[in-house]
């Protein structure tokens, strides 16, 4: 196992720091141009689609869920440990300027996620009378390539359902042990039971959970972050200056001794941003596929908003808290640096605040990732074997909370990267259909047929 770790690390380095950066960003730029900057022109429409006429408690069922519930489920998966650790890692490795490149990658990612959500709507289907969908369906039906669809399904089940959920559970166990000295095994058992209860309830219970928890956790974190920013308000403008100057001249911000280049700022910012908002990765389309909308493009507009919330609100808040509290260079990185920043900003309440936030972020991600993986179990096994799958996921959640093996964390990155490749192939080859769907919506909107 020890010999395997450096090999997997090398694979991840090639995947995430070179290959996927160019593929994901290139796809985002392509769709941004072909869709005529849809993330700007239809952003207002996306907000209306998500938040217009919200009715909490609206029961989801076999026919799907509301746009708001779908976006909440997508955000549940997007906003995870990466939002607390990702910005910190990017800043330490690429300097404050990495945040600028994180923003830029998210901007282009908005057009990619529009394409994903639109295709998921176009090719959604029913399994055992229940609506489902995702990349496996638009790969197999749109590209007529079942082999590639099966490869995607297998990688996402491993990446999110099993290995990824181990990582999320481990983060919760660590945080609660550090903040409250609670045995991770106890946390793992509680997580498994609560998660199992939600899994068994199907799409109805998952939608009910995400629509209530996601807004609460986002507001809770943003209020905490705003408190830190208000108490350090004199450092906000210098923080933005560090971000913009550091994007093109890192040495001017960090000094020549640090050795961070523009290439590093770009590399780490883009990689961490894409890993956090999941645009192009093929995960969130499973949530958007089950939304009840009048036109497939409408859910594409809604999907754009999810990337905005993930990166421009939550991830940016983490970055600003770190930069305004002056904790860079103290030797910490990842979640430890974020914890240190909030401890400086909030005092003794900082550590418990992050532990509680991390619980909501990571646990909601577990629910979202389970939902995505379940859709692919349905694809591979035609709706059979769900009970066995649920039990296995519960076991992995418990196991993940108890142990931390570096190889497991690295394998999560590997399978996350592998599932991107068939999804991007499908997005690019099916791009004429995405553009035609968008044009059809605009034509019907113009003629007031929607």
């Amino acid at each position: 196992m020890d010999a395997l770790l450096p090999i997997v690390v090398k694979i991840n380095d090639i995947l995430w720091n070179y290959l996927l950066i160019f593929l994901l960003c290139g796809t985002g730029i392509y769709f941004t141009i072909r869709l005529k900057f849809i993330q700007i022109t239809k952003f207002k429409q996306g907000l209306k689609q998500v938040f217009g006429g919200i009715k909490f408690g609206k029961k989801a069922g076999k026919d799907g869920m509301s746009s708001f519930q779908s976006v909440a489920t997508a955000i549940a998966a997007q906003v995870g440990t990466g939002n607390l650790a990702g910005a910190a890692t990017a800043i330490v490795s690429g300097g404050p300027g990495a945040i600028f490149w994180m923003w830029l990658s998210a901007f282009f990612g908005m057009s990619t996620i529009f394409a994903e959500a639109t295709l998921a709507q176009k090719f959604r289907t029913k399994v055992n009378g229940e609506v489902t969908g995702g990349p496996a369906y638009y790969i197999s039906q749109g590209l007529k390539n079942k082999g590639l669809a099966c490869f995607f399904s297998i990688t996402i089940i491993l990446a999110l359902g099993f290995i990824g959920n181990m990582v999320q559970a481990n983060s919760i166990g660590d945080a609660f042990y550090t903040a409250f000295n609670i045995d991770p095994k106890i946390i793992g058992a509680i997580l498994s039971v609560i998660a199992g209860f939600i899994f068994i309830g199907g799409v109805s219970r998952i939608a009910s959970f995400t629509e209530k928890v996601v807004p609460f956790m986002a507001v809770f974190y943003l209020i905490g972050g705003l408190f830190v920013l208000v108490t350090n308000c004199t450092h906000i403008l210098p923080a933005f200056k560090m971000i913009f100057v550091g994007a093109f001249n890192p040495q001017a911000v960090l000094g020549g001794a640090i050795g961070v280049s523009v290439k590093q700022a770009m590399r780490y910012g883009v990689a961490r941003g894409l890993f956090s908002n999941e645009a192009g990765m093929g995960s969130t389309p499973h949530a958007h596929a089950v939304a009840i909308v009048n036109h497939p493009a409408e859910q594409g507009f809604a999907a754009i908003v999810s990337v905005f919330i993930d990166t421009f609100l939550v991830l940016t808040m983490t970055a600003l808290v770190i930069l305004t509290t002056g904790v860079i260079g103290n030797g910490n990185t990842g979640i430890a640096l974020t914890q240190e920043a909030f401890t400086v900003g909030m005092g003794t309440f900082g550590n418990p605040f992050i532990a509680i936030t991390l619980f909501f972020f990571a646990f909601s991600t577990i629910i979202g990732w389970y939902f995505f993986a379940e859709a692919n179990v349905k694809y591979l096994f035609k709706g059979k074997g769900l009970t066995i799958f649920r039990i296995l996921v519960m076991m992995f959640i418990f196991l993940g909370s108890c142990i931390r093996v570096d190889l497991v964390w690295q394998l999560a990155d590997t399978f996350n990267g592998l599932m991107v490749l068939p999804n991007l192939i499908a997005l690019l080859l099916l791009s004429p259909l995405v553009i035609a769907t968008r044009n059809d919506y605009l034509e019907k909107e113009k003629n007031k047929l929607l």
Side-chain angles (χ1 to χ4, degrees), residues 403-420:
I403 62 169
R404 171 166 183 154
V405 180
D406 288 340
L407 180 59
V408 173
W409 284 62
Q410 291 294 333
L411 283 172
D413 281 357
T414 303
F415 284 106
N416 265 307
L418 289 175
M419 77 187 203
V420 175

Side-chain angles (χ1 to χ4, degrees), residues 307-321:
V307 174
F308 177 82
I309 292 171
D310 172 85
T311 302
F312 290 98
L313 293 184
V314 180
L315 208 61
T316 298
M317 181 61 74
T318 304
L320 290 177
V321 168

Side-chain angles (χ1 to χ4, degrees), residues 49 67 121 291-299 441 444 449-450:
Q49 185 68 35
S67 259
Q121 277 282 321
I292 301 171
V293 292
N294 296 320
H295 192 281
E298 289 179 339
Q299 193 57 29
Y441 176 87
K444 288 179 177 176
L449 297 176
L450 292 170

Side-chain angles (χ1 to χ4, degrees), residues 283-365:
S283 52
T284 59
H286 300 93
H288 299 301
V290 300
I292 301 171
V293 292
N294 296 320
H295 192 281
E298 289 179 339
Q299 193 57 29
F301 304 146
I304 289 171
V305 176
S306 69
V307 174
F308 177 82
I309 292 171
D310 172 85
T311 302
F312 290 98
L313 293 184
V314 180
L315 208 61
T316 298
M317 181 61 74
T318 304
L320 290 177
V321 168
I322 290 170
L323 294 176
T324 56
T325 51
V327 294
I328 303 175
N330 292 350
N332 283 324
T333 187
I335 193 68
L337 181 60
T338 306
Q339 284 177 312
E340 183 185 2
F342 274 93
T343 300
V344 170
M346 291 183 162
T348 54
F349 185 65
N351 216 9
F353 174 81
I354 287 298
I356 294 168
T357 301
L358 188 63
F359 171 80
F360 283 112
F361 280 20
F363 185 69
S364 65
T365 296

Side-chain angles (χ1 to χ4, degrees), residues 6-293:
I7 297 173
V8 176
V9 169
K10 185 64 177 177
I11 291 171
N12 287 340
D13 183 54
I14 295 170
L15 265 177
W16 281 104
N17 293 324
Y18 297 97
L19 180 63
L20 292 181
I21 282 182
F22 291 108
L23 287 177
L24 285 165
C25 284
T27 301
I29 293 169
Y30 171 77
F31 276 112
T32 295
I33 294 170
R34 292 300 306 274
L35 295 169
K36 300 178 181 178
F37 289 83
I38 200 163
Q39 61 269 63
I40 296 175
T41 60
K42 287 299 178 181
F43 184 73
K44 183 179 178 181
Q45 178 74 19
L47 290 173
K48 183 180 178 181
Q49 185 68 35
V50 175
F51 299 109
I54 293 177
K55 293 181 180 179
F56 288 103
K58 184 177 180 181
K59 193 173 179 62
K62 290 182 178 295
D63 293 327
M65 57 180 78
S66 69
S67 259
F68 176 75
Q69 290 170 330
S70 294
V71 169
T73 303
I75 293 173
Q78 290 167 304
V79 177
T81 55
N83 291 79
L84 298 178
T89 302
I91 290 171
V92 170
S93 303
I99 303 304
F100 171 84
W101 299 109
M102 192 178 285
W103 290 337
L104 194 64
S105 68
F107 174 77
F108 290 122
M110 287 177 172
S111 64
T112 306
I113 211 164
F114 169 85
E116 289 182 293
T118 301
L119 288 175
Q121 277 282 321
K122 293 285 288 185
F123 292 98
R124 72 190 208 145
T125 187
K126 282 194 173 185
V127 176
N128 294 337
E130 188 170 281
V131 171
T132 188
Y137 294 91
Y138 58 69
I139 291 171
S140 61
Q141 296 173 25
L143 293 186
K144 309 296 183 185
N145 193 324
K146 290 187 177 180
L148 200 62
C150 287
F151 174 79
F152 173 85
S153 289
I154 292 168
T155 52
I156 195 172
I157 289 169
L158 292 172
L160 305 188
F162 296 142
I163 301 172
N165 278 340
M166 284 182 73
V167 170
Q168 297 294 331
N170 183 268
S171 298
I172 296 173
D174 276 355
F176 271 72
Y177 180 75
T178 301
F180 307 111
N181 200 31
I182 300 175
D183 188 338
K185 293 186 180 65
I186 296 174
I187 297 297
I190 294 172
L191 288 176
S192 297
V193 171
I194 298 174
F197 173 76
I198 296 171
F199 297 163
I200 292 169
V203 65
S204 175
R205 198 168 291 168
I206 289 171
S208 178
F209 171 83
T210 57
E211 74 168 355
K212 295 177 180 66
V213 170
V214 168
F216 168 78
M217 74 180 195
V219 171
F220 177 76
Y221 183 64
L222 292 174
I223 289 174
L226 282 172
F227 172 81
V228 176
L229 294 186
V230 169
T231 57
N232 294 276
C233 59
T234 56
H235 297 104
I236 294 176
L237 287 179
F240 276 105
K241 182 180 178 181
M242 290 171 72
I243 291 171
F244 286 106
V245 173
F248 304 98
N249 188 6
Q251 307 303 331
V253 174
L254 300 172
I258 304 297
V260 173
S261 63
V262 173
K263 180 182 176 182
Q264 280 177 286
M266 186 185 300
R267 169 183 163 186
Y268 286 105
V270 171
R272 289 297 96 189
L274 291 170
F275 191 79
S276 173
N277 63 53
E278 301 186 26
M281 287 179 62
S283 52
T284 59
H286 300 93
H288 299 301
V290 300
I292 301 171
V293 292

